[in-house]
């Protein structure tokens, strides 16, 4: 009998689930000739704001651009330092660097993979201007101690579409929140992102910046009776980050079934937590991820399932040969040559350990229960973990 690898059937580590709901909205956009930013964008923004408990939500063309926009909204002095976790996607550091600031990588908590006030404090200097937190995997950062440090906070909530901290949506706790809707996120539109803030002035400015810093488009000006409506005022120079109605239409379809998708993710999460628990007596060498603290009102988004294991590289290869694709999200930034010159030189022992022991295994709504059973039994059968 051929293995999954021999048959080239590989279970992906990340994925999404789209269907008729998304097709219906995209078809409507095409029929209505709305290819660019139009009514679907406004509808999506309205529904997202309501879901998150925000006054406004701004859709942009990617989460990466949303991070850059967030840094620019803070108006930081050129050369000032922004502290962020080393265990995160490169867009976080690149947004800081491209905005003229310096990314300073901090360590993370070994169990939550999140930055904390304690891991931040060794990197605070007189050049520190802001902090960027990342709600890794959908588990909320412990925000109150970080807020007490007194710096503006950007929340990377790209894994945290449904995550909460003490009952408040992640993204609304700091000063600016950023979301991602790329092809493998909990809410997937292909490419897309979102920005929100509890500060109205930030949202006003973000709305202007999204369209090249133009105060009003010619069409908007004409509807208000302005003569020579094709003349426009550029508020400040900025790149274009406008989303399309096609992407927003996919997002509307995703929103219609997001609760269902999230419940399915949680079902897989709960199976893994049970099957890989040390109490099970089978996988004593697997360190499972932390659940959300529901007693204080926290909520998880279950974006990814991150385990810590010995012989990680060998286990990853074993699983790949069995037809299960795994990965490490993320290769720590402080180990990347591009960002090494910006670091203070302090060791990041937890990130270094996670770099050698961490592994993301498949968790997404595209998995069947048969896939999940196969993943569980394959991992439990791995001699390297016994």
């Amino acid at each position: 009998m051929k293995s999954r690898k021999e048959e080239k059937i590989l279970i992906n580590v990340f994925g999404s689930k789209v269907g008729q709901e998304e097709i219906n909205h995209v078809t409507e956009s095409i029929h209505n000739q709305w290819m660019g930013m139009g009514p679907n964008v406004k509808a999506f923004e309205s529904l997202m704001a309501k879901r998150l408990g925000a006054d406004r939500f701004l859709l942009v063309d990617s989460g990466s651009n949303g991070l850059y926009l967030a840094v620019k909204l803070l108006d930081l002095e050129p050369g000032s330092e922004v502290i962020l976790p080393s265990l995160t996607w490169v867009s976080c550091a690149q947004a800081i660097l491209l905005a003229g600031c310096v990314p300073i990588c901090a360590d993370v908590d070994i169990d939550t993979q999140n930055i904390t006030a304690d891991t931040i404090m060794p990197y605070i200097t007189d050049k520190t201007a802001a902090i960027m937190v990342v709600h890794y995997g959908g588990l909320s950062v412990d925000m109150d101690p970080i807020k007490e440090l007194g710096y503006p906070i950007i929340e990377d909530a790209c894994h945290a579409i449904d995550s909460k901290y003490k009952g408040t949506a992640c993204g609304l706790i700091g000063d600016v929140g950023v979301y991602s809707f790329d092809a493998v996120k909990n809410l997937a539109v292909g490419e897309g992102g979102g920005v929100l803030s509890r500060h109205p002035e930030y949202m006003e400015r973000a709305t202007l910046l999204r369209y090249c810093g133009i105060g009003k488009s010619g069409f908007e000006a004409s509807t208000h009776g302005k003569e020579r409506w094709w003349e426009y005022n550029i508020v400040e120079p900025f790149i274009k980050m406008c989303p399309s109605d096609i992407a927003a239409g996919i997002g509307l379809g995703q929103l219609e079934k997001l609760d269902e998708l999230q419940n399915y993710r949680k079902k897989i999460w709960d199976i893994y937590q049970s099957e890989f628990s040390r109490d099970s007596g089978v996988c004593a060498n697997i360190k499972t991820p932390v659940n959300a603290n529901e007693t204080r009102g926290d909520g998880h988004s279950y974006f990814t399932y991150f385990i810590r294991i010995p012989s990680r590289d060998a286990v990853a290869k074993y699983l790949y040969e069995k037809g299960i694709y795994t990965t490490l999200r993320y290769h720590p930034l402080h180990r990347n040559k591009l960002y090494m010159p910006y670091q203070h030189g302090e060791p990041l022992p937890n990130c270094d350990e996670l770099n050698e022991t961490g592994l993301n295994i498949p968790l997404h709504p595209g998995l069947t229960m048969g896939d999940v059973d196969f993943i569980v039994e394959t991992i439990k059968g791995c001699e390297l973990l016994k």
Side-chain angles (χ1 to χ4, degrees):
M1 182 178 178
K2 289 184 177 181
S3 67
R4 285 173 176 260
K5 182 67 168 53
E6 289 172 326
E7 294 179 352
K8 298 183 179 179
I9 301 173
L10 197 63
I11 298 176
N12 288 325
V13 64
F14 299 115
S16 56
K17 190 174 184 178
V18 295
Q20 195 59 48
E21 299 91 344
E22 293 82 4
I23 292 171
N24 290 343
H25 285 287
V26 171
T27 300
E28 182 181 8
S29 288
I30 294 173
H31 283 166
N32 293 334
Q33 297 297 299
W34 276 111
M35 298 290 285
M37 193 165 62
N40 277 349
V41 171
K42 291 184 177 180
F44 181 84
E45 290 175 338
S46 177
L47 289 172
M48 279 299 301
K50 182 178 179 180
R51 185 180 182 97
L52 296 169
D55 292 329
R56 292 181 61 186
F57 184 90
L58 192 73
L59 186 63
V60 294
D61 59 351
S62 74
S64 295
N65 275 347
L67 287 166
Y68 174 68
L69 174 58
V71 179
K72 294 295 286 186
L73 288 175
L74 297 183
D75 274 333
L76 306 177
E77 289 292 327
S80 58
E81 296 179 349
V82 180
I83 299 172
L84 77 163
S86 182
L87 190 76
T88 189
W89 180 233
V90 297
S91 293
C92 294
Q94 288 175 346
I96 295 166
L97 201 59
L98 291 171
C101 299
V102 181
I104 302 297
C105 292
D107 211 355
V108 298
D109 178 81
I110 192 68
D111 294 316
T112 66
Q113 293 83 58
N114 277 334
I115 198 170
T116 71
D118 287 340
T119 64
I120 290 169
M121 289 177 66
Y123 304 95
I124 293 176
T125 70
D126 56 1
K127 293 183 179 181
T128 303
I131 297 167
M132 181 183 289
V133 304
V134 178
H135 302 288
Y136 184 85
L139 179 70
S140 65
V141 170
D142 190 6
M143 293 294 292
D144 285 349
I146 296 176
K147 291 176 70 174
E148 290 173 4
L149 296 175
Y151 295 94
I153 298 173
I154 296 171
E155 288 183 77
D156 179 333
C158 293
H159 294 180
I161 186 67
D162 257 0
S163 302
K164 289 182 172 59
Y165 177 73
K166 296 185 177 181
T168 299
C170 292
L172 273 174
I173 304 158
D175 295 277
V176 188
V178 181
Y179 298 83
S180 173
F181 308 126
D182 73 26
V184 300
K185 291 301 192 298
N186 297 54
L187 192 159
V189 306
E191 286 293 345
V195 174
L196 55 70
S197 174
R198 52 193 175 82
H199 304 300
E201 64 274 20
Y202 282 178
M203 292 305 295
E204 289 295 330
R205 185 173 172 219
T207 303
L208 294 176
L209 292 180
R210 176 175 67 175
Y211 187 43
C212 300
I214 295 174
K216 277 189 174 62
S217 68
F219 180 76
E220 289 174 314
S222 70
T223 59
H224 287 80
K226 177 187 175 182
E227 294 183 7
R228 297 169 69 104
W229 53 82
W230 46 85
E231 296 177 352
Y232 46 78
N233 180 45
I234 302 172
V235 179
E236 61 179 290
F238 205 70
I239 60 176
K240 185 179 179 182
M241 296 183 177
C242 294
S244 73
D245 245 38
I246 300 294
I250 297 172
L252 289 172
Q254 289 274 285
L255 276 173
E256 290 175 14
K257 57 188 179 187
L258 185 56
D259 289 338
E260 175 187 342
L261 297 175
Q262 291 294 85
N263 288 337
Y264 194 72
R265 283 180 178 270
K266 185 179 186 302
K267 182 178 180 179
I268 298 171
W269 174 280
D270 289 342
I271 290 172
Y272 287 162
Q273 290 288 73
S274 175
E275 293 288 346
F276 301 142
S277 168
R278 290 189 177 186
D279 295 335
S280 70
V282 178
C283 300
N285 288 324
I286 297 179
K287 294 182 179 179
T288 54
V290 175
N291 287 315
N293 187 351
E294 295 181 356
T295 59
R296 72 176 183 187
D298 292 3
H300 208 300
S301 288
Y302 312 106
F303 170 64
T304 188
Y305 194 83
F306 186 91
I307 59 175
R308 292 149 56 202
I309 54 175
S311 306
R312 190 272 317 277
D313 292 1
V315 172
K317 184 177 180 181
Y318 167 83
L319 294 175
Y320 184 80
E321 292 299 322
K322 295 291 185 179
I324 302 170
Y325 183 68
T326 60
T327 191
L328 171 64
R329 282 282 182 97
Y330 299 92
H331 180 225
L333 292 174
H334 76 281
R335 287 176 163 268
N336 191 291
K337 290 182 180 179
L338 178 63
Y339 296 109
M340 285 179 181
Y342 303 107
Q343 305 318 309
H344 288 174
E346 293 87 347
L348 304 181
N350 291 342
C351 284
D352 287 338
E353 180 178 330
L354 294 171
N355 190 51
E356 300 303 321
T357 64
L359 193 67
N360 302 88
I361 68 172
L363 192 162
H364 57 83
L367 297 176
T368 66
M369 280 296 109
D371 291 332
V372 175
D373 290 341
F374 178 74
I375 292 164
V376 168
E377 293 307 313
T378 304
I379 290 175
K380 289 170 71 172
C382 180
E383 293 295 328
L384 294 166
L385 298 174
K386 295 181 180 180

